[in-house]
Amino acid sequence: MNSDYEKLESVIGYEFDNKKLLVNALTHTSYANEHKNRKVKDNERLEFLGDAVLELVSSEFLFLNYEMPEGKMTRLRASLVCEGTLARDAKEINLGEFLYLGKGEDETGGRKRDSIVSDAFEALIGAIFLDGGIEEAKYFILKFALNDIEKKKLFYDSKTVLQERVNSVKNGNLVYEIIK
């Protein structure tokens, strides 16, 4: 296992009291599956927790800093916490280089795969939350996920865009029909 925790901690500006949480956050399922005999845990539970913390902090941030309707805040938050944006955030701190991946996943470019690094980013948030509390997690999120919002590409799901456009037309009436 990679033991260069200090480098990652230096980059993120947070030192873990419980290094096991950090290791857990960096452990992909593929690695855990290859090391079952050592009872290695993957980062999925921390990812679940980190996702919730990220949503809470980003919702509070948008509420306090942007005067816009709920629908626009929801779309802006979605763009900030979607896989592609979080993957870019993870790459800014070179999170991929610290991940514990199974051999196959590592050999096929897993360290650069958006789904893997974005999940690890959320797991790292969960680990920071458990280790240092909400204020430390909030500091990390503000510094690395909610930074440079104006330059981050907004994510719009195509169904929502279509509905908004149809609803803006006075006689517009959108009907969904399942064909296959």
Side-chain angles (χ1 to χ4, degrees), residues 72-87:
K72 286 189 176 190
M73 284 192 299
T74 299
R75 287 189 298 279
L76 180 53
R77 181 184 62 206
S79 72
L80 296 171
V81 302
C82 72
E83 180 180 289
T85 303
L86 292 178

Side-chain angles (χ1 to χ4, degrees), residues 154-176:
L154 293 180
F155 165 80
Y156 287 101
D157 103 74
S158 55
K159 183 178 172 185
T160 301
V161 171
L162 176 62
Q163 286 176 318
E164 286 177 352
R165 200 162 272 177
V166 170
N167 287 337
S168 71
V169 178
K170 296 259 187 231
N171 61 357
N173 189 13
L174 188 59
V175 177
Y176 296 96

Side-chain angles (χ1 to χ4, degrees), residues 79-105:
S79 72
L80 296 171
V81 302
C82 72
E83 180 180 289
T85 303
L86 292 178
R88 284 190 294 279
D89 296 338
K91 289 171 184 172
E92 284 181 20
I93 61 172
N94 296 315
L95 190 58
E97 79 179 64
F98 300 100
L99 299 180
Y100 303 121
L101 300 175
K103 288 183 182 188
E105 197 64 65

Side-chain angles (χ1 to χ4, degrees), residues 4-148:
D4 192 14
Y5 306 125
E6 294 85 12
K7 183 177 178 185
L8 178 59
E9 289 173 326
S10 175
V11 169
I12 66 174
Y14 180 77
E15 185 176 336
F16 280 83
D17 289 326
N18 182 349
K19 302 292 188 205
K20 288 181 182 180
L21 283 170
L22 176 56
V23 171
N24 188 197
L26 300 174
T27 304
H28 186 258
T29 308
S30 61
Y31 185 90
N33 287 338
E34 288 180 9
H35 296 87
K36 284 182 182 177
N37 59 338
R38 289 199 241 156
K39 298 186 181 183
V40 174
K41 292 182 183 178
D42 65 47
N43 64 5
E44 290 179 355
R45 287 173 45 87
L46 281 174
E47 176 198 344
F48 169 81
L49 180 60
D51 177 64
V53 173
L54 176 60
E55 185 162 331
L56 173 65
V57 171
S58 60
S59 296
E60 178 193 43
F61 177 81
L62 294 175
F63 183 85
L64 294 174
N65 293 289
Y66 290 83
E67 195 61 44
M68 61 178 66
E70 179 269 340
K72 286 189 176 190
M73 284 192 299
T74 299
R75 287 189 298 279
L76 180 53
R77 181 184 62 206
S79 72
L80 296 171
V81 302
C82 72
E83 180 180 289
T85 303
L86 292 178
R88 284 190 294 279
D89 296 338
K91 289 171 184 172
E92 284 181 20
I93 61 172
N94 296 315
L95 190 58
E97 79 179 64
F98 300 100
L99 299 180
Y100 303 121
L101 300 175
K103 288 183 182 188
E105 197 64 65
D106 200 11
E107 291 170 0
T108 59
R111 292 182 190 285
K112 295 182 181 186
R113 192 165 294 124
D114 283 1
S115 61
I116 291 176
V117 295
S118 66
D119 289 351
F121 190 82
E122 288 180 324
L124 184 58
I125 291 169
I128 292 170
F129 172 74
L130 289 176
D131 191 67
I134 189 67
E135 288 305 317
E136 292 293 344
K138 186 175 181 177
Y139 175 79
F140 175 84
I141 292 166
L142 290 172
K143 186 174 181 181
F144 296 107
L146 299 179
N147 61 341
D148 211 12

